[in-house]
Amino acid sequence: MDIEISSNKSEYERTIEKFAPRILFFNIKKRTKRKLKHYMKFDNVLLENINGVMRKFVHLGLEVGINGKHGEIEYACFYISEKINTTIMSYNINYVEYNVNLIDRMFDTKDIATYFENIQFETFYIKDILYFVNKEACNNLNAYKLGEGNYILLDENNEVSGMVLKKITEKELEIINSTELI
């Protein structure tokens, strides 16, 4: 994947929602006058019949919405359903304070969503920063800005490897703490 510095100074907004007692949903979307039709593919939510009871399961992963024409990131969202680690993290992250465009043939101009479903993620919450990182990622990652306090992680091959959310607010922390994940 190629990256290029974005000349567009888009603003992004972040929301955190409790999806279920042990599932959190994180959404970082570009502020725009037009409405996107979805932020997380609904086919990632699976219904399963267990002993006659329908239960909802979320296909976990990271979804990144890319504008296929110029590579601008429209949104990034992910679910967390496993315990959030609050100990020291071993990744070395280099923060880059500008937005980037992601250019790759996998981003079709007709479909802005790309879902990274085969990646196993681990989550850390240290001080007021939440890290959502590919377990297979190398130790050295670049974090490119998606608005104030939000970053998309890319590895040395410029492959998407997770997200970093800085400056978690008290209200967002209340939502996170309302689950059994931390």
Side-chain angles (χ1 to χ4, degrees), residues 19-20 23 40 44-46 56-61 79 81 115:
F19 188 76
I23 300 176
M40 179 56 107
N44 294 334
V45 178
L46 308 173
K56 193 183 286 189
F57 292 92
V58 178
H59 190 112
L60 303 176
Y79 287 97
S81 69
Y115 186 64

Side-chain angles (χ1 to χ4, degrees), residues 22-82:
R22 293 187 48 85
I23 300 176
L24 285 168
F25 175 64
F26 296 79
N27 188 24
I28 295 91
K29 65 180 179 176
K30 185 171 76 169
R31 287 190 183 141
T32 180
K33 292 179 182 169
R34 63 184 167 85
K35 293 199 178 211
L36 295 175
K37 294 192 179 181
H38 69 279
Y39 296 112
M40 179 56 107
K41 292 179 184 176
F42 291 108
D43 59 354
N44 294 334
V45 178
L46 308 173
L47 294 176
E48 186 172 276
N49 189 337
I50 299 175
N51 298 328
V53 177
M54 290 300 284
R55 298 209 176 173
K56 193 183 286 189
F57 292 92
V58 178
H59 190 112
L60 303 176
L62 173 65
E63 184 175 302
V64 180
I66 305 291
N67 183 312
K69 290 183 181 177
H70 48 77
E72 187 172 9
I73 299 170
E74 299 284 336
Y75 66 88
C77 56
F78 57 95
Y79 287 97
I80 294 176
S81 69
E82 295 183 15

Side-chain angles (χ1 to χ4, degrees), residues 9 22 65 67 86 93 101 106 115 117 123 137-138 148 151-153 162 168 174 180:
K9 302 235 186 275
R22 293 187 48 85
N67 183 312
T86 56
I93 298 176
N101 293 337
M106 74 185 232
Y115 186 64
E117 62 185 329
T123 309
C138 63
E148 190 62 35
Y151 298 83
I152 188 163
L153 290 174
I168 299 291
E174 279 180 32
E180 300 167 10

